[in-house]
Amino acid sequence: MEKMQVVKRLKLSELADDVEVSIEESSTVYTVAELKHEILEIGEPHHESSNWYTITRKRWKPNAMHMVENYIEREYDEMYEDWDSRAMDCLTDEVVSKIQSILDKAFEGDYATLYWTCEDRVEIDIQPPPVVNA
């Protein structure tokens, strides 16, 4: 029998102002304070989306050994029997260390390494003030 996963639902009004949130599959991140400001003071209709989540920032780091192992595994079908073992034998600690150093240099900035994951669903429980017609 499959267990049902209970999704924790947080209310925007109860979150600390510095908590970061985003809409699932969006590239924009807001702090709770920024989101509240846009809803309450600017009147943005962010409350109309139900796909808001808290986020956790993360950093990807390349792994030279993993990358080379995957490459050898993919190439093995085109090669001879036991080629993969011979290829792996060529990967000394020194070689892997040099490859890792090159990868670390190539990915030293934030451009391709920073990302976030959606964590807990956030209910937008505040709405913009009503528009007063003159």
Side-chain angles (χ1 to χ4, degrees), residues 16-78:
D17 283 347
D18 62 342
V19 171
E20 292 183 310
V21 296
S22 183
I23 294 178
E24 188 175 37
E25 299 183 14
S26 169
S27 62
T28 304
V29 173
Y30 294 90
T31 63
V32 166
E34 291 168 334
L35 190 58
K36 286 178 181 177
H37 170 78
E38 286 200 4
I39 293 170
L40 295 172
E41 296 178 32
I42 301 175
E44 291 291 333
H46 295 303
H47 62 287
E48 294 176 1
S49 174
S50 62
N51 292 332
W52 286 94
Y53 289 86
T54 59
I55 65 160
T56 300
R57 290 192 181 266
K58 298 184 177 187
R59 180 177 297 275
W60 173 81
K61 182 172 177 15
N63 181 309
M65 189 62 164
H66 181 72
M67 292 173 81
V68 174
E69 285 173 342
N70 284 340
Y71 179 75
I72 289 171
E73 186 177 307
R74 280 194 308 273
E75 293 296 308
Y76 178 65
D77 288 341
E78 303 297 322

Side-chain angles (χ1 to χ4, degrees), residues 43-133:
E44 291 291 333
H46 295 303
H47 62 287
E48 294 176 1
S49 174
S50 62
N51 292 332
W52 286 94
Y53 289 86
T54 59
I55 65 160
T56 300
R57 290 192 181 266
K58 298 184 177 187
R59 180 177 297 275
W60 173 81
K61 182 172 177 15
N63 181 309
M65 189 62 164
H66 181 72
M67 292 173 81
V68 174
E69 285 173 342
N70 284 340
Y71 179 75
I72 289 171
E73 186 177 307
R74 280 194 308 273
E75 293 296 308
Y76 178 65
D77 288 341
E78 303 297 322
M79 300 302 287
Y80 54 88
E81 187 174 330
D82 293 329
W83 172 82
D84 58 334
S85 294
R86 290 180 182 207
M88 290 301 293
D89 288 345
C90 296
L91 296 176
T92 64
D93 289 344
E94 181 184 359
V95 168
V96 173
S97 179
K98 286 180 180 180
I99 295 169
Q100 186 66 53
S101 178
I102 292 167
L103 290 171
D104 290 344
K105 179 69 176 162
F107 293 104
E108 69 184 350
D110 296 341
Y111 183 69
T113 58
L114 289 182
Y115 70 101
W116 66 82
T117 56
C118 292
E119 301 300 329
D120 296 317
R121 188 174 279 254
V122 175
E123 177 185 340
I124 307 297
D125 62 336
I126 60 174
Q127 297 192 5
V131 177
V132 178
N133 292 331

Side-chain angles (χ1 to χ4, degrees), residues 3-14:
K3 282 177 112 177
M4 285 187 57
Q5 184 178 356
V6 177
V7 177
K8 192 183 338 179
R9 199 173 189 97
L10 306 172
K11 293 186 178 203
L12 181 68
S13 63
E14 297 174 356

